[in-house]
Amino acid sequence: MTTGIAVTAQPDLFDRSFFRTCRLRALMAAKPGADFLLKAVSEDLQDRLLLVNRRFPIAVDLGGHCAHVSEAIRQSGKADLVLRADLFAADPSLAAPDLVFDDALIPFGDQSVDLIVSALNLQFVNDLPGTLVQLRRALKPDGLFLATLPGAGTLSELRDSLTRAELEVKGGAAARVLPFADTRDLGSLLQRAGFALPVTDLDSLTVRYDTMFALLADLRAMGATSVLKDRSRKPLSRQVLLRAAELYAQNHADADGRIRATFSLVTLSGWAPHESQQKPLRPGSAKTRLADALGVQERKIGD
């Protein structure tokens, strides 16, 4: 497959097998309310779809456990057929999905779907440039890709507290929080993957908890614990965790004593190339939709 992207051998950053285990464990536990972040992102994606001046015959919810994204697409009224594609395994709390597959290996044929929407999944893919190429190829001409990923700055308070505590107690620190790409890098990847009219924008969501341990419990319930391939296999000691909780409360708490957890959310949109995108603006054209309908700041590469 010719992609137009130079491929270089790189070691995997994420342990996809362990990620699968974490996802399955989270689905089986089904902690009430643990889907709050996915729900908020899905609602935002629905708002964005409502502003798109066209319908899509076939839409795909990519990796959509909890079915929030599928429901958001349906509620937008922009798709005739919505396919829910669960990641790794079916969500036992829902009706059977249309598809189950690893989102690192897109099974759709070239130019076979019109809309692909993904929420909080693609940050765990080892070869994100390659996956974006697969997604662009799966879209019909003038099809839309819309996704939200955590961006740089996500869980910065937790990263800071764990690192400082481990340095104090053990004299060294291992990576405990995933690295996240910034908005400019993600926009560049869209462009390199061949998407037309790529747009990225950044939102920030701050969640407050009574303690760091409540935050860690939520992350585990989301299936969002560290899946770094080079992560330390030794769990943090009680001493380190207690010190981290102290540092978190000292440095990242509000006046009422509750701690802050920041989620930086980068939303990407890009269109499969089509000849109409090079013509003067017409109602409902891709260029009109991005500039006027989405109403977000366009970040051009090199700005």
Tab-separated table of all heavy atoms in Angstrom, residues 99-133:
chain	number	residue	atom	x	y	z
A	99	LEU	N	-19.467	-4.603	14.908
A	99	LEU	CA	-18.117	-5.089	14.631
A	99	LEU	C	-17.303	-5.058	15.918
A	99	LEU	O	-17.540	-4.226	16.802
A	99	LEU	CB	-17.424	-4.197	13.596
A	99	LEU	CG	-18.064	-4.083	12.207
A	99	LEU	CD1	-17.550	-2.837	11.507
A	99	LEU	CD2	-17.756	-5.323	11.381
A	100	VAL	N	-16.344	-5.963	16.024
A	100	VAL	CA	-15.340	-5.932	17.089
A	100	VAL	C	-13.978	-6.101	16.433
A	100	VAL	O	-13.746	-7.083	15.728
A	100	VAL	CB	-15.555	-7.053	18.124
A	100	VAL	CG1	-14.415	-7.048	19.144
A	100	VAL	CG2	-16.886	-6.887	18.840
A	101	PHE	N	-13.093	-5.121	16.625
A	101	PHE	CA	-11.753	-5.231	16.039
A	101	PHE	C	-10.809	-4.285	16.751
A	101	PHE	O	-11.215	-3.415	17.516
A	101	PHE	CB	-11.779	-4.951	14.532
A	101	PHE	CG	-12.257	-3.576	14.142
A	101	PHE	CD1	-11.386	-2.494	14.119
A	101	PHE	CD2	-13.575	-3.353	13.776
A	101	PHE	CE1	-11.813	-1.231	13.753
A	101	PHE	CE2	-14.025	-2.103	13.401
A	101	PHE	CZ	-13.142	-1.033	13.392
A	102	ASP	N	-9.536	-4.480	16.504
A	102	ASP	CA	-8.479	-3.628	17.033
A	102	ASP	C	-8.375	-2.394	16.147
A	102	ASP	O	-8.165	-2.510	14.934
A	102	ASP	CB	-7.161	-4.409	17.034
A	102	ASP	CG	-6.008	-3.641	17.681
A	102	ASP	OD1	-6.111	-2.408	17.822
A	102	ASP	OD2	-5.005	-4.277	18.019
A	103	ASP	N	-8.521	-1.213	16.732
A	103	ASP	CA	-8.517	-0.010	15.901
A	103	ASP	C	-7.146	0.324	15.332
A	103	ASP	O	-7.009	1.276	14.565
A	103	ASP	CB	-9.092	1.203	16.654
A	103	ASP	CG	-8.338	1.524	17.935
A	103	ASP	OD1	-7.378	0.805	18.265
A	103	ASP	OD2	-8.717	2.500	18.608
A	104	ALA	N	-6.128	-0.463	15.677
A	104	ALA	CA	-4.837	-0.307	15.019
A	104	ALA	C	-4.825	-0.985	13.652
A	104	ALA	O	-3.927	-0.750	12.847
A	104	ALA	CB	-3.724	-0.890	15.891
A	105	LEU	N	-5.832	-1.836	13.397
A	105	LEU	CA	-5.923	-2.573	12.123
A	105	LEU	C	-7.327	-2.374	11.577
A	105	LEU	O	-8.238	-3.161	11.861
A	105	LEU	CB	-5.618	-4.057	12.339
A	105	LEU	CG	-4.212	-4.386	12.859
A	105	LEU	CD1	-4.126	-5.845	13.273
A	105	LEU	CD2	-3.170	-4.060	11.801
A	106	ILE	N	-7.513	-1.342	10.791
A	106	ILE	CA	-8.830	-0.981	10.292
A	106	ILE	C	-9.275	-1.990	9.230
A	106	ILE	O	-8.568	-2.192	8.226
A	106	ILE	CB	-8.817	0.441	9.708
A	106	ILE	CG1	-8.245	1.439	10.730
A	106	ILE	CG2	-10.206	0.855	9.270
A	106	ILE	CD1	-9.004	1.494	12.029
A	107	PRO	N	-10.444	-2.636	9.376
A	107	PRO	CA	-10.838	-3.693	8.439
A	107	PRO	C	-11.632	-3.206	7.233
A	107	PRO	O	-11.990	-4.014	6.378
A	107	PRO	CB	-11.731	-4.589	9.315
A	107	PRO	CG	-12.394	-3.630	10.255
A	107	PRO	CD	-11.360	-2.553	10.538
A	108	PHE	N	-11.917	-1.919	7.134
A	108	PHE	CA	-12.774	-1.437	6.058
A	108	PHE	C	-12.012	-1.340	4.742
A	108	PHE	O	-10.827	-1.006	4.710
A	108	PHE	CB	-13.349	-0.066	6.409
A	108	PHE	CG	-14.148	-0.062	7.682
A	108	PHE	CD1	-13.699	0.622	8.798
A	108	PHE	CD2	-15.335	-0.765	7.758
A	108	PHE	CE1	-14.427	0.611	9.975
A	108	PHE	CE2	-16.074	-0.787	8.928
A	108	PHE	CZ	-15.620	-0.102	10.047
A	109	GLY	N	-12.719	-1.618	3.647
A	109	GLY	CA	-12.125	-1.478	2.331
A	109	GLY	C	-11.960	-0.017	1.952
A	109	GLY	O	-12.523	0.886	2.590
A	110	ASP	N	-11.172	0.224	0.921
A	110	ASP	CA	-10.964	1.595	0.454
A	110	ASP	C	-12.295	2.210	0.021
A	110	ASP	O	-13.114	1.568	-0.653
A	110	ASP	CB	-9.982	1.606	-0.726
A	110	ASP	CG	-8.562	1.296	-0.289
A	110	ASP	OD1	-8.335	1.111	0.923
A	110	ASP	OD2	-7.674	1.223	-1.169
A	111	GLN	N	-12.493	3.474	0.424
A	111	GLN	CA	-13.653	4.263	0.036
A	111	GLN	C	-14.959	3.512	0.292
A	111	GLN	O	-15.828	3.406	-0.570
A	111	GLN	CB	-13.546	4.664	-1.446
A	111	GLN	CG	-12.310	5.491	-1.758
A	111	GLN	CD	-12.263	5.977	-3.187
A	111	GLN	OE1	-13.246	5.927	-3.912
A	111	GLN	NE2	-11.101	6.488	-3.601
A	112	SER	N	-15.116	3.016	1.528
A	112	SER	CA	-16.285	2.194	1.856
A	112	SER	C	-17.229	2.840	2.858
A	112	SER	O	-18.373	2.394	2.997
A	112	SER	CB	-15.832	0.840	2.401
A	112	SER	OG	-15.024	1.010	3.565
A	113	VAL	N	-16.788	3.884	3.592
A	113	VAL	CA	-17.649	4.538	4.579
A	113	VAL	C	-17.570	6.052	4.382
A	113	VAL	O	-16.647	6.578	3.746
A	113	VAL	CB	-17.260	4.158	6.022
A	113	VAL	CG1	-17.438	2.666	6.248
A	113	VAL	CG2	-15.840	4.577	6.346
A	114	ASP	N	-18.544	6.754	4.958
A	114	ASP	CA	-18.650	8.200	4.726
A	114	ASP	C	-18.241	9.044	5.925
A	114	ASP	O	-17.857	10.202	5.765
A	114	ASP	CB	-20.100	8.549	4.365
A	114	ASP	CG	-20.585	7.771	3.166
A	114	ASP	OD1	-20.330	8.215	2.034
A	114	ASP	OD2	-21.218	6.707	3.359
A	115	LEU	N	-18.346	8.483	7.120
A	115	LEU	CA	-18.046	9.225	8.341
A	115	LEU	C	-17.436	8.269	9.353
A	115	LEU	O	-17.962	7.176	9.582
A	115	LEU	CB	-19.333	9.841	8.918
A	115	LEU	CG	-19.246	10.477	10.314
A	115	LEU	CD1	-18.368	11.723	10.304
A	115	LEU	CD2	-20.653	10.814	10.837
A	116	ILE	N	-16.311	8.673	9.954
A	116	ILE	CA	-15.673	7.903	11.024
A	116	ILE	C	-15.488	8.823	12.216
A	116	ILE	O	-14.891	9.902	12.093
A	116	ILE	CB	-14.317	7.323	10.591
A	116	ILE	CG1	-14.495	6.356	9.418
A	116	ILE	CG2	-13.633	6.613	11.761
A	116	ILE	CD1	-13.183	5.857	8.823
A	117	VAL	N	-16.012	8.408	13.375
A	117	VAL	CA	-15.919	9.209	14.594
A	117	VAL	C	-15.266	8.364	15.674
A	117	VAL	O	-15.652	7.212	15.907
A	117	VAL	CB	-17.308	9.684	15.066
A	117	VAL	CG1	-17.171	10.586	16.294
A	117	VAL	CG2	-18.036	10.428	13.944
A	118	SER	N	-14.263	8.931	16.343
A	118	SER	CA	-13.537	8.207	17.385
A	118	SER	C	-13.388	9.092	18.614
A	118	SER	O	-13.068	10.274	18.500
A	118	SER	CB	-12.158	7.784	16.876
A	118	SER	OG	-11.388	7.214	17.916
A	119	ALA	N	-13.608	8.498	19.788
A	119	ALA	CA	-13.479	9.253	21.038
A	119	ALA	C	-12.562	8.518	22.004
A	119	ALA	O	-12.859	7.403	22.438
A	119	ALA	CB	-14.852	9.466	21.684
A	120	LEU	N	-11.419	9.125	22.301
A	120	LEU	CA	-10.517	8.679	23.369
A	120	LEU	C	-10.025	7.241	23.189
A	120	LEU	O	-9.940	6.478	24.147
A	120	LEU	CB	-11.213	8.825	24.730
A	120	LEU	CG	-11.768	10.217	25.049
A	120	LEU	CD1	-12.442	10.224	26.413
A	120	LEU	CD2	-10.672	11.267	24.987
A	121	ASN	N	-9.668	6.891	21.954
A	121	ASN	CA	-9.099	5.574	21.678
A	121	ASN	C	-7.748	5.641	20.982
A	121	ASN	O	-6.836	4.882	21.313
A	121	ASN	CB	-10.055	4.757	20.795
A	121	ASN	CG	-11.174	4.096	21.572
A	121	ASN	OD1	-10.949	3.541	22.640
A	121	ASN	ND2	-12.382	4.182	21.054
A	122	LEU	N	-7.630	6.535	20.021
A	122	LEU	CA	-6.479	6.494	19.131
A	122	LEU	C	-5.169	6.886	19.807
A	122	LEU	O	-4.095	6.660	19.240
A	122	LEU	CB	-6.732	7.387	17.913
A	122	LEU	CG	-7.854	6.902	16.992
A	122	LEU	CD1	-8.103	7.910	15.870
A	122	LEU	CD2	-7.532	5.530	16.410
A	123	GLN	N	-5.224	7.447	21.017
A	123	GLN	CA	-3.980	7.788	21.718
A	123	GLN	C	-3.201	6.557	22.133
A	123	GLN	O	-2.024	6.648	22.489
A	123	GLN	CB	-4.273	8.648	22.946
A	123	GLN	CG	-4.997	7.939	24.077
A	123	GLN	CD	-6.505	7.986	23.954
A	123	GLN	OE1	-7.042	8.279	22.896
A	123	GLN	NE2	-7.183	7.726	25.042
A	124	PHE	N	-3.823	5.386	22.092
A	124	PHE	CA	-3.155	4.150	22.489
A	124	PHE	C	-2.606	3.363	21.306
A	124	PHE	O	-2.101	2.257	21.483
A	124	PHE	CB	-4.126	3.254	23.271
A	124	PHE	CG	-4.607	3.850	24.566
A	124	PHE	CD1	-5.922	4.251	24.713
A	124	PHE	CD2	-3.742	4.007	25.635
A	124	PHE	CE1	-6.380	4.792	25.901
A	124	PHE	CE2	-4.187	4.553	26.837
A	124	PHE	CZ	-5.508	4.946	26.962
A	125	VAL	N	-2.733	3.881	20.094
A	125	VAL	CA	-2.246	3.187	18.902
A	125	VAL	C	-0.747	3.434	18.742
A	125	VAL	O	-0.286	4.572	18.837
A	125	VAL	CB	-3.017	3.664	17.657
A	125	VAL	CG1	-2.399	3.103	16.390
A	125	VAL	CG2	-4.486	3.268	17.757
A	126	ASN	N	0.015	2.381	18.478
A	126	ASN	CA	1.462	2.540	18.345
A	126	ASN	C	1.843	3.300	17.075
A	126	ASN	O	2.743	4.135	17.090
A	126	ASN	CB	2.139	1.163	18.351
A	126	ASN	CG	2.301	0.614	19.752
A	126	ASN	OD1	2.837	1.281	20.632
A	126	ASN	ND2	1.823	-0.603	19.978
A	127	ASP	N	1.182	2.995	15.976
A	127	ASP	CA	1.490	3.632	14.699
A	127	ASP	C	0.334	4.552	14.309
A	127	ASP	O	-0.449	4.242	13.409
A	127	ASP	CB	1.732	2.568	13.622
A	127	ASP	CG	2.084	3.178	12.260
A	127	ASP	OD1	2.455	4.372	12.217
A	127	ASP	OD2	1.973	2.456	11.256
A	128	LEU	N	0.236	5.681	14.988
A	128	LEU	CA	-0.864	6.592	14.700
A	128	LEU	C	-0.819	7.126	13.272
A	128	LEU	O	-1.873	7.198	12.610
A	128	LEU	CB	-0.888	7.741	15.712
A	128	LEU	CG	-2.044	8.732	15.576
A	128	LEU	CD1	-3.393	8.038	15.616
A	128	LEU	CD2	-1.960	9.804	16.668
A	129	PRO	N	0.351	7.497	12.730
A	129	PRO	CA	0.369	7.930	11.324
A	129	PRO	C	-0.193	6.866	10.383
A	129	PRO	O	-0.976	7.169	9.479
A	129	PRO	CB	1.847	8.202	11.053
A	129	PRO	CG	2.416	8.528	12.388
A	129	PRO	CD	1.687	7.650	13.352
A	130	GLY	N	0.185	5.613	10.585
A	130	GLY	CA	-0.310	4.547	9.735
A	130	GLY	C	-1.808	4.322	9.898
A	130	GLY	O	-2.520	4.065	8.923
A	131	THR	N	-2.297	4.431	11.131
A	131	THR	CA	-3.725	4.267	11.370
A	131	THR	C	-4.514	5.381	10.704
A	131	THR	O	-5.583	5.142	10.115
A	131	THR	CB	-4.018	4.239	12.877
A	131	THR	OG1	-3.356	3.107	13.461
A	131	THR	CG2	-5.509	4.125	13.154
A	132	LEU	N	-4.011	6.604	10.767
A	132	LEU	CA	-4.696	7.719	10.111
A	132	LEU	C	-4.749	7.524	8.593
A	132	LEU	O	-5.747	7.865	7.953
A	132	LEU	CB	-4.000	9.036	10.453
A	132	LEU	CG	-4.152	9.510	11.901
A	132	LEU	CD1	-3.322	10.771	12.144
A	132	LEU	CD2	-5.615	9.769	12.256
A	133	VAL	N	-3.694	6.968	8.027
A	133	VAL	CA	-3.710	6.663	6.595
A	133	VAL	C	-4.802	5.636	6.297
A	133	VAL	O	-5.558	5.770	5.320
A	133	VAL	CB	-2.335	6.145	6.130
A	133	VAL	CG1	-2.426	5.590	4.714
A	133	VAL	CG2	-1.300	7.262	6.178
